[in-house]
Amino acid sequence: MNRIDKLFQDKKERVLNVYFTAGYPQLNDTTTILEALETSGADLIEIGIPYSDPIADGPTIQESNGVALENGMTLKVLFNQLKGIRDKVSVPIVLMGYVNPIVQFGVENFCAKCEEVGVDAVILPDLPMFEYLEIYKPMFEKHGLYNIFLITPQTSEARIRQIDENSNGFIYMVSSASTTGAKTSISLDQSDYFARVKNMNLKNPTLIGFGISNAETFDKACENANGAIIGSAFIKAISEEGNLEEKISGFVRSVIG
Amino acid sequence: MKIQVDERGYYGNFGGAFIPEMLYPNIEELRENYEQIVQAPDFQKQFNHLLRDFVGRPTPLYLAERLSEKYGAEIYLKREDLCHTGAHKVNNTVGQILLAQKLGKQKVIAETGAGQHGVATATVCALMGIECIVYMGEVDMARQKPNVERMRILGAEVRPATSGSKTLKDATNEAMRHWINNPTDTHYIIGSVVGPHPYPEMVARFQSVISKEIKAQLLEKKGKENPDYVIACVGGGSNAAGAFYHYYNEEDVQLVAVEAAGLGNHTGESAATTVLGKPGILHGSKTLLMQTEDGQVVEPYSISAGLDYPGIGPVHAHLFETGRAKFYSVTDEEAMKAGVLLSRTEGIIPAVESAHAFAALNQMTFNSSDVVVINLSGRGDKDLETYIKWGKY
Ligand SMILES: Cc1ncc(COP(=O)(O)O)c(C=O)c1O
């Protein structure tokens, strides 16, 4: 069973998904961050594959991508770092990135590597659904890899249904029309959207992301979905001075209490 | 083999719409509506009226006699440099501003490299009383200062793109991010035949007035519509697509695309995508792309801000792959020399982008009966500083 399905079978509320950029702040922090996040209580972890042109990301994640690339992070390096990770970390791991580095790595090769190291799913915001269904899906399925789709307040009901139909694992609900980290809160005018999606009774669990930064926004998101995703706020927290593990546990504690 | 776009926005292996879900509704709205809007008689009437009375079309097709003599062929210049605002870019912005109005958008954003597209966008926004924000790389703002001030005089806000190489690619990223954050009231006027479907075909169609006019003008002057060669520079490829459009499927016409080789294709300082690029995905389409082995986009270099882009429009990737167009690349030095040559033989100072197209003449051989059309995409006013800095005239 895919670790994500297992997670949502056991835990239907307040699922915390934390994003960090591979290779940031230091090239070899990947396993330290994964272990510290799991120990601190993250239920699911998203590892960002750094890219030179992350158009869906705001300044914080852009900057972490830039630093990670300068540090020498590549997919090859990342897969090497993840070798043996399943001896240490058991929460589901999702890779998030843009499609071009995956294409250059070779999609089939990428999927095989994901399976080999124990990655459970992939989020590629700029991969269109029809390209996924026609070209990528057979390779993803062969290697037990889930593809996570995004929906936004502007996504039509018909398309949400279509996405739900073709999704596995969970659906990533982008909280508002924005790039990552652009808004520091989620506001009341999103409640219509949250209610609309809730009433659709989707077959997949939902996690709300973008604008989740602290306990207050996490709680609010959890009232409307199975949990939430934190990215920019976590990157900011680990950018500060101090011991990496302590910063991570401090941050996670401040969010989930 | 016919050069045309399919319903998914592909030209052969290139194109598509690789966009985050946040932009899906915007792109769908465009895709579903633009053909119908553009084909409607009232749109055509307004568009043609503005092209004639505001832009100054048709632009002349001018027989460059002294240049013809020098190269031993009959060389015509398609005078896009005489368009209002100084380049072909305005053909597209006039079309897109009318489209934005029909779609009920109150705001417009754009990216710009040389500033020509930014100026052309600011111009049509001023004309229609629409709020306008233009993203421009910080490096380009410095090397195209007059255009920055022109945009400001026209009432546009120019926002510096400070990420990456701070040039056209980064300005495009920032414009896309802005659109993600403002999806409902804003239209994004992309300035070349790049971006997600339907942009490449839409922009090419607005620019196709160039080849439509060339055909009519050649018929009048020569009694035939088709020249032997059509030559154009390629940044994203909009002036080339416009000059090629009605010749895509006329096999007797040799299409010639000219890319910027910067300091030389093997110096690491070039923008010649078909020489240095591999298939990849940039700004929403699959195309040829300058990138590292790991799929990171490489920062290009050219003296010309308008050609300083690591990709090309998907239609050009297709024209290259199929061999339908022949691609040349031209260094900074060769282009600047060609710019001065045109100035002195014909009394026309070309934009540095356009000068690249002229420099390709040195790499070609002609028969004296050959009819050659060069798309003179813009004038050199904006590039005075570049000419002065180069200094060898
Ligand atoms: C005069 C001129 N020619 C050519 C270009 C290159 O663009 P494209 O390849 O889309 O025609 C530009 C871009 O700024 C320009 O200003």
Side-chain angles (χ1 to χ4, degrees), chain A residues 113-141:
Chain A
K113 284 281 178 199
C114 283
E115 183 179 22
E116 196 183 308
V117 300
V119 167
D120 305 287
V122 179
I123 305 176
L124 299 171
D126 58 344
L127 178 65
M129 179 154 50
F130 104 84
E131 303 266 349
Y132 169 72
L133 294 176
E134 292 200 352
I135 300 161
Y136 290 66
K137 193 176 170 194
M139 293 181 260
F140 273 51
E141 286 185 341

Side-chain angles (χ1 to χ4, degrees), chain A residues 27-82:
Chain A
L27 179 64
N28 293 316
D29 285 338
T30 310
T31 49
T32 313
I33 296 175
L34 285 168
E35 287 183 77
L37 275 172
E38 176 167 81
T39 311
S40 308
D43 300 301
L44 207 153
I45 304 172
E46 250 176 62
I47 307 178
I49 303 161
Y51 184 50
S52 54
D53 297 79
I55 57 161
D57 288 298
T60 304
I61 293 180
Q62 279 175 49
E63 230 177 276
S64 68
N65 275 246
V67 171
L69 290 174
E70 264 175 44
N71 288 344
M73 181 49 73
T74 65
L75 266 176
K76 268 181 225 143
V77 171
L78 179 60
F79 281 127
N80 271 332
Q81 292 176 344
L82 292 178

Side-chain angles (χ1 to χ4, degrees), chain A residues 50-55 57 62 69 74 76 99-101 104 125-126 128 130-131 134 150 154 159 177-179 182, chain B residues 8 10 17-22 24-25 163 169 173 176-177 180-181 183 279-281 289 291 293-297:
Chain A
Y51 184 50
S52 54
D53 297 79
I55 57 161
D57 288 298
Q62 279 175 49
L69 290 174
T74 65
K76 268 181 225 143
V99 71
N100 196 50
Q104 303 312 319
D126 58 344
F130 104 84
E131 303 266 349
E134 292 200 352
L150 276 57
Q154 277 73 41
R159 187 163 167 88
S178 77
T179 42
Chain B
R8 267 154 180 183
Y10 274 86
F18 292 79
I19 38 147
E21 188 64 29
M22 292 80 106
Y24 182 83
S163 55
K169 161 180 90 87
N173 289 342
M176 287 196 162
R177 289 182 184 120
I180 288 173
N181 284 287
I281 289 137
L289 172 61
Q291 54 187 315
E293 206 183 299
D294 301 312
Q296 307 296 341
V297 182

Side-chain angles (χ1 to χ4, degrees), chain A residues 171-216:
Chain A
I171 290 175
Y172 192 137
M173 271 178 79
V174 175
S175 64
S176 64
S178 77
T179 42
T180 55
K183 309 222 163 82
T184 49
S185 67
I186 52 177
S187 63
L188 281 179
D189 47 314
Q190 285 149 288
S191 53
D192 270 3
Y193 160 57
F194 293 152
R196 182 162 61 88
V197 175
K198 214 174 194 176
N199 288 335
M200 288 181 73
N201 289 314
L202 302 178
K203 74 179 173 77
N204 288 282
T206 51
L207 296 180
I208 295 177
F210 289 41
I212 315 300
S213 58
N214 52 23
E216 189 196 339

Side-chain angles (χ1 to χ4, degrees), chain B residues 204-280:
Chain B
R205 277 209 213 168
F206 288 140
Q207 292 293 359
S208 70
V209 64
I210 299 172
S211 48
K212 189 173 147 200
E213 288 176 4
I214 295 172
K215 277 195 161 183
Q217 289 164 324
L218 272 184
L219 185 63
E220 193 190 306
K221 287 181 204 295
K222 301 287 301 173
K224 58 169 192 175
E225 291 185 331
N226 292 2
D228 298 290
Y229 297 89
V230 179
I231 307 175
C233 67
V234 173
S238 67
N239 87 86
F244 295 170
Y245 198 89
H246 292 287
Y247 294 119
Y248 280 161
N249 300 306
E250 309 268 348
E251 301 283 338
D252 57 322
V253 181
Q254 176 63 62
L255 306 178
V256 177
V258 186
E259 295 182 293
L263 302 183
N265 281 335
H266 302 290
T267 61
E269 300 289 340
S270 167
T273 305
T274 61
V275 178
L276 301 169
K278 283 182 302 178

Side-chain angles (χ1 to χ4, degrees), chain B residues 87-89 114 116 191-192 233-240 306-307 351 353-354 377-378 382:
Chain B
H88 68 291
K89 296 284 182 187
Q116 284 307 115
S192 193
C233 67
V234 173
S238 67
N239 87 86
L307 304 182
E353 289 79 12
S354 321
S377 57
K382 71 180 175 62

